[in-house]
């Protein structure tokens, strides 16, 4: 097996994977912060159900998640047809659909990290701000978010690493189209099905390992910082 330089097609797959993972994280971050806050601070009926729905992509086969996305966001699906007719947005078999699939699959990891960071915050800090006349929204913006920031960054890094390696839901929803939806995992799969593709699969695997390891290390550092910050007020 020869190990040659990265090919132009592989560079395209790497760039597309980074693009998909970045968009997936940034697009899901506001919802992730809101859901994490509701699960951390909320006391309402159905909280267990919401928590279960958030973590459902972790336990479902990725192919099932991708199929559900195809039914809902395909051109003939209720949401897909609405988006196409109203805004001209097509998700199925497009890189934007790959970003959606990656966002759905990585969302539970993001929410979990952010929720843990919010759980570690000393409530007295929020209560002190409230007694000084701050509204709940202002307390959230000026107290909760800054204290939970390391956990938010950690959640983003975890979600990025997960989105970068997402395969099952992505290939089911948007297929494996070179230059459009062929991310690193899909390109590796193609190489494994091609005679003599071992070198290409190894090259992309090493790239994926390097990027994912960097994201996980950054996430671990932020989680530790979040824990240290949470104990300062104890």
């Amino acid at each position: 097996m020869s190990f040659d330089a990265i090919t132009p097609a592989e560079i395209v797959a790497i760039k597309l994977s980074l693009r998909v993972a970045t968009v997936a994280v940034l697009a899901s971050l506001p919802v992730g912060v809101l859901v994490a806050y509701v699960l951390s601070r909320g006391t309402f009926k159905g909280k267990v159900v919401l928590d279960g729905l958030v973590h459902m992509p972790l336990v479902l086969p990725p192919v099932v998640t991708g199929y559900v996305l195809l039914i809902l966001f395909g051109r003939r699906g209720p949401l897909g047809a609405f988006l196409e007719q109203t805004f001209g947005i097509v998700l199925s078999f497009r890189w934007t659909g790959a970003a959606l699939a990656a966002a759905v699959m990585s969302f539970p990891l993001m929410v979990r990290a952010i929720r843990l960071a919010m759980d570690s915050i000393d409530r007295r800090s929020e209560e002190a701000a409230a007694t000084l006349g701050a509204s709940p929204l202002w307390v959230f913006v000026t107290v909760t978010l800054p204290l939970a920031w390391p956990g938010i960054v950690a959640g983003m890094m975890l979600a990025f690493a997960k989105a970068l390696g997402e395969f099952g839901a992505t290939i089911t929803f948007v297929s494996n189209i070179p230059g459009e939806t062929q991310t690193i995992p899909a390109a590796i799969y193609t190489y494994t099905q091609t005679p003599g593709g071992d070198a290409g699969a190894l090259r992309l695997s090493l790239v994926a390992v390097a990027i994912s390891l960097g994201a996980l290390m950054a996430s671990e550092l932020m989680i530790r910082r979040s824990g240290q910050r949470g104990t300062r007020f104890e």
Side-chain angles (χ1 to χ4, degrees), residues 20-77:
V20 165
T22 301
V23 171
V25 171
L26 294 180
S28 60
L29 180 60
V31 181
V33 171
L34 178 61
V35 172
Y37 181 78
V38 170
L39 291 176
S40 176
R41 298 292 188 268
T43 53
F44 56 92
K45 293 182 179 179
K47 182 177 178 179
V48 175
V49 176
L50 176 60
D51 189 48
L53 290 175
V54 168
H55 290 87
M56 187 69 72
L58 291 179
V59 296
L60 280 177
V63 174
V64 174
T65 303
Y67 181 64
V68 171
L69 291 175
L70 186 61
I71 292 175
L72 295 177
F73 291 95
R75 290 195 170 186
R76 296 183 179 180

Side-chain angles (χ1 to χ4, degrees), residues 6 34 42 47 52 57 71 83 85 119 125 136 176 205 211 216 225 229 232 234:
I6 295 179
L34 178 61
K47 182 177 178 179
I71 292 175
L83 290 174
Q85 296 171 7
D119 287 343
S125 302
N176 183 10
S205 295
I211 298 175
L216 290 174
R225 181 176 299 181
R229 179 172 296 187
R232 290 177 185 175
E234 294 181 357

Side-chain angles (χ1 to χ4, degrees), residues 71-140:
I71 292 175
L72 295 177
F73 291 95
R75 290 195 170 186
R76 296 183 179 180
L79 298 179
F82 171 78
L83 290 174
E84 183 177 8
Q85 296 171 7
T86 306
F87 304 103
I89 298 176
V90 178
L91 295 175
S92 58
F93 306 106
R94 302 285 178 87
W95 77 268
T96 49
L100 174 62
V104 171
M105 295 300 296
S106 62
F107 189 73
L109 297 178
M110 175 188 290
V111 171
R112 183 169 181 80
I114 298 174
R115 179 184 179 180
L116 290 175
M118 291 182 176
D119 287 343
S120 68
I121 296 175
D122 192 329
R123 297 290 184 89
R124 290 174 293 182
S125 302
E126 298 173 326
E127 293 171 357
T131 56
L132 293 175
S135 65
L137 177 60
W138 190 246
V139 171
F140 174 75

Side-chain angles (χ1 to χ4, degrees), residues 175-187:
S175 188
N176 183 10
I177 306 172
E180 179 66 33
T181 65
Q182 189 178 76
T183 57
I184 291 177

Side-chain angles (χ1 to χ4, degrees), residues 198-214:
D198 293 342
L202 178 59
R203 286 193 297 268
L204 289 178
S205 295
L206 291 176
V207 170
V209 168
I211 298 175
S212 299
L213 182 60

